[in-house]
Amino acid sequence: MSGNKISILQDLVFFFYQIFILRRWFHRNPKQKYQKIPSHHGLHQAQDLSHHTVMFNVEGALLKSNTLFPYFMLVAFEAGGVLRSFFLFILYPFISLMSYEMGLKTMVLLSFFGVKNERFRAGKSVLPKYFLEEVGLEMFEVLKRGGKRVAVSDLPQVMIDGFLRDYLEIEVVIGREMKMIGGYYLGIMEEKKKHEFDFGKLIQEEKLSSGHVIGITSFTFPSHRSLFSQFCQEIYFVRNSDKKSWQTLPRNQYPKPLIFHDGRLAIKPTPLNTLALFMWAPFAAALAAARLVAGLNLPYALAIPFLAFSGLRLTLTVNNQIDLIYTDQKKGCLFVCNHRTLLDPLYISYALRKKSIKAVTYSLSRLSELLAPIKTVRLTRDRVQDGEAMERLLSQGDLVVCPEGTTCREPYLLRFSPLFAEISDVIVPVAIDSHATFFYGTTASGFKAFDPIFFLLDPYPSYTVRLLDLVSGGGSSTCQDHDDGKTKFEVANHVQHEIGKALGFECTNLTRRDKYLILAGNNGVINKT
């Protein structure tokens, strides 16, 4: 009797061994190698991968963090609004208790349901910044040596395609497609079986199955192991303990620099950051209202102490030469600054304690014009008319000009329009930098009328204003970059270079048009509402 029990037990052990071990791990190409990929040897010491295809899992092998919640929170907040993001946050503890696939489907549903396909630009304008900040340097160096790179992900294709193709220059990106009806997302991804079928079809089309394919995946994300086993001759597994020791990919090693990005959130919305954000929201609304009322109605002598007490920070550095401007000059002073937010001219006015300063703008909303405590004049983009308007304003007093024509959040300067160099003999370059805690005070595809309000919602928004050495307009030849030998271009380039040097920013030839084409898909024409 006992012998029969032992025999039955042995049969059961052998049966489960066949089902869960042999069938799972050995039903593959007999030439495949399965090994872990530590951070100090293995693939990192491989001499040449240029003739191989490297296929990797995005969530498990490229990004340092395993949690996907921040990326869906960004989609929910930027594409769906505050209520949708709050609903996702409230349900996240329950999502954490679900299986990986069910939790993923739930976050996709909450983030995408009812979002219009044509208006969804978060995948190209918002998410790349946060994905890049999670890329592991060690893994990126491996991928950089591959002849061809294939990215595999469980995330929707619209979330990862822009980040991987545009910024990491990955040739093949395989994510999951979203179902739509009438141009609106249903919040439902294609089934995994269809995804795997499309994956295999694409692999055949790319002719990767005939070459030597190296797979890199993770123990944490097992969903693609069967696919890797079909097409890879070697498979390496990334351990979570290794990812914790990875360095973050430095900005100066991005294959394509991140100059433009959109979205209101200035922090990565992890669960803890999101909790802090929603806890701050009621206080932020009251504080922003108080700041707005004080800034619009109180004289500078009272407004500045109140705003400083409320958390706004302003640091001013003034060169001694500034006093020379008003001694011999009949016209006002021309302040030429880089553009960080719509509040740049206002902060210069506060720094100098002069409400008589005027500013020229391109796409300022009507609401912002009405609320501005200083006079603003809208330009027409006609060189002759704009030049005459600026000369007329300068003859009446001080004038602030932002020749970039649009804001830039990152440490870069866009090309300076040379129009300002034609209207004044003396120019004061102003180097401006700002810092936001929770919200960015700029947008390319959203409602620009709310830009100053979002900046005021931050608990400790800060500005740094530096008045640099005077520059002579109309006859400067001190520029490093000459454009057709025209003095006005030389002056514009010189002012851009001086501001960039003071801030530690990199000068570029990119323009306002380039920014809006990348972030909003238009040429920068914004509704004047």
Side-chain angles (χ1 to χ4, degrees):
M1 188 70 178
S2 60
N4 290 336
K5 289 182 179 180
I6 294 175
S7 177
I8 294 173
L9 182 61
Q10 288 176 342
D11 290 340
L12 287 174
V13 171
F14 182 75
F15 173 78
F16 283 107
Y17 179 78
Q18 275 190 317
I19 294 297
F20 294 101
I21 304 298
L22 293 180
R23 186 170 296 181
R24 185 174 181 181
W25 295 104
F26 292 99
H27 187 62
R28 297 181 173 112
N29 188 329
K31 295 182 179 180
Q32 287 177 335
K33 301 176 183 178
Y34 301 93
Q35 49 190 302
K36 298 175 182 178
I37 176 170
S39 57
H40 299 294
H41 56 280
L43 275 179
H44 294 273
Q45 292 183 350
Q47 296 181 354
D48 187 14
L49 297 176
S50 59
H51 300 292
H52 303 310
T53 296
V54 178
M55 188 164 68
F56 65 96
N57 178 262
V58 176
E59 303 92 89
L62 178 66
L63 304 180
K64 293 177 59 179
S65 175
N66 291 329
T67 178
L68 302 178
F69 171 80
Y71 312 114
F72 286 104
M73 177 55 69
L74 286 165
V75 173
F77 187 89
E78 304 295 349
V82 177
L83 290 179
R84 184 191 294 261
S85 59
F86 182 73
F87 193 50
L88 174 61
F89 173 70
I90 292 298
L91 293 181
Y92 181 66
F94 302 99
I95 295 174
S96 302
L97 300 177
M98 300 178 184
S99 65
Y100 169 74
E101 181 68 13
M102 183 59 68
L104 179 64
K105 289 181 177 180
T106 304
M107 288 192 290
V108 170
L109 178 64
L110 294 173
S111 303
F112 279 93
F113 179 75
V115 175
K116 194 172 184 178
N117 175 34
E118 293 180 354
R119 298 184 60 183
F120 181 78
R121 302 195 60 84
K124 289 185 175 293
S125 62
V126 179
L127 292 175
K129 173 185 184 301
Y130 298 93
F131 278 129
L132 286 169
E133 291 174 353
E134 283 294 330
V135 173
L137 173 62
E138 288 79 358
M139 184 54 61
F140 176 75
E141 291 177 343
V142 173
L143 299 178
K144 193 167 58 174
R145 299 204 308 270
K148 195 167 192 176
R149 285 79 56 88
V150 179
V152 184
S153 175
D154 280 321
L155 293 173
Q157 184 84 11
V158 292
M159 290 180 64
I160 61 171
D161 196 76
F163 150 64
L164 292 169
R165 292 185 189 273
D166 297 342
Y167 290 95
L168 293 190
E169 299 178 347
I170 303 299
E171 293 84 356
V172 182
V173 178
I174 305 172
R176 295 170 74 169
E177 297 296 334
M178 299 283 293
K179 295 182 179 181
M180 291 186 296
I181 182 170
Y184 290 86
Y185 289 117
L186 296 177
I188 301 173
M189 296 186 295
E190 65 180 7
E191 293 299 325
K192 290 191 64 177
K193 291 183 179 179
K194 185 179 184 303
H195 178 54
E196 293 180 2
F197 174 78
D198 293 340
F199 178 91
K201 183 179 178 181
L202 182 59
I203 291 296
Q204 295 293 338
E205 290 175 356
E206 296 289 339
K207 298 180 181 180
L208 301 180
S209 58
S210 58
H212 190 82
V213 183
I214 297 175
I216 308 176
T217 184
S218 169
F219 291 110
T220 310
F221 294 88
S223 55
H224 292 297
R225 286 185 189 175
S226 61
L227 297 177
F228 277 78
S229 66
Q230 294 177 40
F231 300 102
C232 301
Q233 285 71 45
E234 298 181 49
I235 298 180
Y236 293 83
F237 289 97
V238 177
R239 298 174 300 190
N240 284 336
S241 58
D242 297 323
K243 293 173 69 173
K244 290 179 180 179
S245 64
W246 284 359
Q247 301 179 54
T248 302
L249 179 66
R251 292 180 59 93
N252 59 7
Q253 293 191 33
Y254 290 176
K256 177 183 176 181
L258 180 72
I259 299 176
F260 301 123
H261 60 87
D262 206 8
R264 290 295 190 184
L265 293 182
I267 57 171
K268 182 178 180 180
T270 61
L272 285 178
N273 286 344
T274 306
L275 175 62
L277 184 66
F278 283 119
M279 290 179 64
W280 168 248
F283 303 98
L287 185 59
R291 288 169 172 172
L292 191 62
V293 171
L296 293 177
N297 298 291
L298 295 180
Y300 282 171
L302 298 177
I304 291 177
F306 175 83
L307 294 176
F309 178 77
S310 72
L312 272 75
R313 298 290 182 264
L314 172 61
T315 303
L316 173 66
T317 303
V318 181
N319 191 291
N320 293 330
Q321 286 184 313
I322 194 68
D323 296 331
L324 302 177
I325 300 174
Y326 299 101
T327 56
D328 301 324
Q329 194 166 308
K330 297 180 181 179
K331 297 193 298 184
C333 179
L334 180 62
F335 296 95
V336 178
C337 63
N338 60 306
H339 205 2
R340 303 301 279 180
T341 76
L342 295 179
L343 300 176
D344 295 339
L346 184 58
Y347 267 90
I348 293 177
S349 173
Y350 270 101
L352 299 177
R353 300 198 176 196
K354 296 185 65 176
K355 272 196 174 181
S356 60
I357 288 180
K358 302 176 182 64
V360 291
T361 64
Y362 282 107
S363 58
L364 193 66
S365 68
R366 295 297 184 188
L367 178 62
S368 298
E369 288 179 337
L370 292 174
L371 294 178
I374 62 175
K375 183 178 180 179
T376 60
V377 177
R378 188 187 297 267
L379 298 179
T380 64
R381 301 191 184 282
D382 180 276
R383 176 172 289 275
V384 177
Q385 294 184 24
D386 291 344
E388 292 175 353
M390 292 168 65
E391 287 185 353
R392 183 173 61 255
L393 291 171
L394 195 60
S395 65
Q396 300 172 359
D398 297 337
L399 180 64
V400 178
V401 178
C402 301
E404 288 177 288
T406 187
T407 57
C408 185
R409 299 172 177 177
E410 296 300 315
Y412 296 93
L413 294 181
L414 308 186
R415 190 176 70 193
F416 277 26
S417 171
L419 182 59
F420 70 88
E422 304 174 15
I423 64 173
S424 178
D425 295 329
V426 179
I427 298 167
V428 181
V430 184
I432 291 179
D433 199 6
S434 63
H435 174 73
T437 310
F438 285 145
F439 304 104
Y440 285 116
T442 62
T443 184
S445 57
F447 295 102
K448 296 185 70 64
F450 295 148
D451 286 358
I453 296 175
F454 270 97
F455 187 81
L456 295 176
L457 288 173
D458 270 329
Y460 298 106
S462 64
Y463 249 87
T464 301
V465 178
R466 307 179 192 177
L467 274 61
L468 307 180
D469 293 337
L470 306 182
V471 172
S472 298
S476 173
S477 59
T478 59
C479 305
Q480 295 186 351
D481 301 320
H482 294 263
D483 190 346
D484 299 330
K486 296 180 180 179
T487 303
K488 59 183 180 181
F489 291 104
E490 297 176 1
V491 174
N493 290 337
H494 177 63
V495 173
Q496 182 199 38
H497 172 75
E498 290 301 311
I499 293 177
K501 183 172 65 175
L503 294 171
F505 289 3
E506 182 178 342
C507 298
T508 74
N509 285 321
L510 296 172
T511 64
R512 180 181 189 274
R513 179 183 177 87
D514 295 323
K515 170 186 170 178
Y516 279 93
L517 284 175
I518 292 172
L519 298 184
N522 57 50
N523 61 0
V525 178
I526 304 297
N527 292 331
K528 300 175 184 180
T529 57

